Amino acid sequence: MKTHDPEKTYLRALYKAVGFSDRDLKKPLIAVANSWSELNPGHVHLRETAERVKEGIWEAGGMPAEFNTIGPCDGIAQGRGMHYVLPSRDIIAASVELMASAHQVEGLVLIGSCDKIVPGMLMAALRLDVPCLFFTGGIMLPRGDMVTCDIKEAIGAFASGKLTRKEFEEIESNTCASVGVCNMMGTASTMCCLLEVLGLALPNTATIAAVDPARSRLAREAGRRIVKLVRKNVRPSGILTRASFENAIRVLLAFGGSTNALLHLPAIAAELGIDLPLDEFDKLSRSTPLLCKFKPASPFNLLDFHEAGGVPALMRELAPLLHLDQMTVSGKTLRQIARSAQVRSREVIAPFDKPLAKEGGIAVLRGNFAPEGAVVKTSGVSPNMMVHKGPAVVFDSEEAVRKHLMRRKVRPGSVLVIRYEGPRGGPGMREMSLPAAMLVGMGLGDSVAMVTDGRYSGATRGPCIGHVCPEAAVGGPIAIVRDDDIIEIDIPKRRLNIALTKSEISKRLNGWRPPAPKIDKGFLEIYQNIVGSASSGARLLGGLSIQNPKSKIQNRPRRRSK
């Protein structure tokens, strides 16, 4: 900070009131954006993490100043609270952007853990384009072989009589064994791992245990490193290229990551003017082998991944398909990081020439039921459900399908269709991972499929297809499906169809009228009118806006107050 400039007197005076000295004010101002919160285990320990990062910044000659942003938990928000979680991504991005821009920071360390926080911070980092480094919250310890996704499946097992109440309560009380990110390949772990691939986090940050003392040492190193990045003016735009995002997609596919990455990566890339259409993910999936599977798709958890070598070891194995000359915030290229890694367990990370599957863990389906695409995590689907045909059972909300499951009314062979849960119709594109896990817990994951314009998670397994586009709220074909219509799923051929003629689909669509909004106040009222399609990342102002006369959603009747 320039201390000799008279025009800076006012801001220097205000910083002195905070406690900074003249000597401090000569150092580069480095903000620490922290999503610390007492509301969930992924963030409750991040206050101490920020202290370690700031120690490193002071040691290296910087002046750290911490501020906070929100950090909702997808797990706690299950149900009605989930309306607010995907929209929080854009609020997080805006809050970091606005705070850092207003204070004209010279560098930024972003501390976050969970599903929407890391993507939102990434979007902000690219908008700001000042030297940035990410540090994540570390992984929650398992309890035996149990992690958080097992709790959701236990709900279905209890509902079907497979668990006693005492067993069920023991799972609830004991499974989450420490603070940290849920120990599975959910969206949180997926996005934390992809930070390493994108080159914006130090190696092994994503998979280390939250309570490992080595993580505190790594946090101090992150603080020291950001000062070097500021002095060398290493910006995200100088690190990230289209090749960086191709690397991220390849690794995502190789470890069977969360389908939510197909919302986040396009939205993040768009900040750099890079287009990542759904077809790009599917094209790369066809040529990327599946080398790892983690909870809930296998017995292995994220700490097993860390012990096996983590993201650097996976990149070493996947090297023939990656652009390894990409630079990283560590000062090393991906090639240097991968070369120094070792695969320490072939049970966890399969050889490139002997993969778990020849294709990646995510597929994009299209057809007359999803003209703009739909997404499925293939690494979690059993072989006998890769092709399925069955009668639709239609629900207009997540609550309706949950009641159906709890009443044990599910018929083997059926396809549960949950609609009006997309970005606009939800609003907020709720995650259907709880009903999906209940289905598996009830022993129906090999005989019943789920299809929705909402989303699922990395914590989902079974034949669960999400992101159906166009969504029901804007008049996509999912809006006109009826009970007992036949739904045809063919994952190997990437097809998702409804057994209706074009004329019948057209006839039904002509007779369709949008329902009243589920929520018509607060931020979600604004959000549902300015959010774009899931097929392009559910970005704000990314699709038809309320001012667009072609948008059907503006004509939806408002819910009358009682």
Side-chain angles (χ1 to χ4, degrees), residues 329-506:
V329 292
S330 70
K332 299 178 181 179
T333 64
L334 291 180
R335 188 180 308 280
Q336 290 171 309
I337 292 170
R339 277 181 177 170
S340 64
Q342 289 185 332
V343 178
R344 294 190 287 268
S345 172
R346 284 302 181 190
E347 281 189 293
V348 177
I349 302 175
F352 183 81
D353 57 355
K354 293 180 181 179
L356 303 179
K358 292 182 179 180
E359 294 186 1
I362 295 174
V364 176
L365 313 183
R366 292 185 185 271
N368 66 0
F369 198 66
E372 293 179 6
V375 176
V376 62
K377 183 172 176 176
T378 55
S379 59
V381 181
S382 64
N384 63 318
M385 289 297 289
M386 297 294 279
V387 178
H388 180 74
K389 181 188 293 186
V393 185
V394 184
F395 307 91
D396 287 348
S397 70
E398 178 189 357
E399 287 81 3
V401 74
R402 277 201 206 178
K403 288 179 182 177
H404 187 75
L405 290 166
M406 292 301 287
R407 291 171 182 168
R408 307 186 196 180
K409 290 187 174 182
V410 184
R411 294 172 293 171
S414 58
V415 178
L416 309 182
V417 178
I418 309 105
R419 63 188 175 194
Y420 297 110
E421 290 291 1
R424 293 192 173 199
M429 201 178 185
R430 285 195 290 179
E431 182 180 288
M432 304 292 120
S433 64
L434 185 54
M438 290 168 62
L439 191 74
V440 172
M442 296 170 76
L444 296 168
D446 289 340
S447 61
V448 177
M450 276 188 176
V451 180
T452 181
D453 55 5
R455 58 189 177 89
Y456 291 104
S457 165
T460 300
R461 63 181 173 126
C464 298
I465 300 168
H467 303 209
V468 171
C469 294
E471 63 173 289
V474 298
I478 192 172
I480 53 87
V481 62
R482 299 172 183 168
D483 286 346
D484 296 322
D485 286 340
I486 300 301
I487 307 297
E488 301 170 342
I489 301 165
D490 191 329
I491 295 173
K493 292 184 179 179
R494 304 298 201 260
R495 306 303 296 169
L496 178 61
N497 287 306
I498 182 171
L500 296 175
T501 63
K502 287 184 180 180
S503 61
E504 177 62 19
I505 292 174
S506 180

Side-chain angles (χ1 to χ4, degrees), residues 40 67 99 114 116 151 157 161 176 211 232 298 353 381 390 419 431-432 453 458 464 506 515 530 556:
N40 71 72
F67 69 90
M99 191 69 175
C114 296
K116 309 304 171 289
I151 301 171
C176 296
V211 296
K232 293 181 179 180
S298 86
D353 57 355
V381 181
R419 63 188 175 194
E431 182 180 288
M432 304 292 120
D453 55 5
C464 298
S506 180
I530 62 173
R556 288 182 2 181

Side-chain angles (χ1 to χ4, degrees), residues 115-261:
D115 299 30
K116 309 304 171 289
I117 293 84
V118 168
M121 287 180 164
L122 268 166
M123 291 164 68
L126 298 185
R127 291 175 194 172
L128 293 163
D129 200 30
V130 297
C132 291
L133 188 149
F134 283 75
F135 196 82
T136 52
I139 302 298
M140 180 186 289
L141 296 180
R143 179 77 68 185
D145 62 352
M146 298 283 285
V147 300
T148 45
C149 58
D150 295 305
I151 301 171
K152 292 188 283 189
E153 294 188 10
I155 297 171
F158 177 68
S160 60
K162 295 180 180 179
L163 289 174
T164 66
R165 178 168 292 279
K166 183 178 180 181
E167 290 171 330
F168 188 44
E169 290 175 351
E170 285 178 354
I171 290 171
E172 175 188 316
S173 299
N174 297 313
T175 300
C176 296
S178 77
V179 298
V181 174
C182 292
N183 196 337
M184 58 190 179
M185 192 53 84
T187 307
S189 293
T190 294
M191 297 309 300
C192 291
C193 287
L194 296 186
L195 281 173
E196 290 190 38
V197 183
L198 291 171
L200 296 179
L202 298 178
N204 298 305
T205 307
T207 54
I208 194 170
V211 296
D212 190 333
R215 187 174 159 277
S216 291
R217 297 193 293 272
L218 193 58
R220 289 181 71 161
E221 174 57 27
R224 292 190 289 268
R225 187 65 202 165
I226 187 61
V227 177
K228 293 181 181 178
L229 294 174
V230 169
R231 288 177 173 154
K232 293 181 179 180
N233 197 26
V234 179
R235 301 167 182 257
S237 61
I239 293 176
L240 297 186
T241 66
R242 185 173 188 84
S244 305
F245 287 97
E246 184 174 317
N247 285 340
I249 295 171
R250 293 275 194 192
V251 173
L252 165 74
L253 297 166
F255 62 38
S258 172
T259 52
N260 280 323

Side-chain angles (χ1 to χ4, degrees), residues 61-83:
M63 186 182 95
E66 182 182 355
F67 69 90
N68 286 86
T69 186
I70 60 173
C73 170
D74 281 54
I76 292 171
Q78 293 288 328
R80 187 162 180 80
M82 189 63 77
H83 287 294

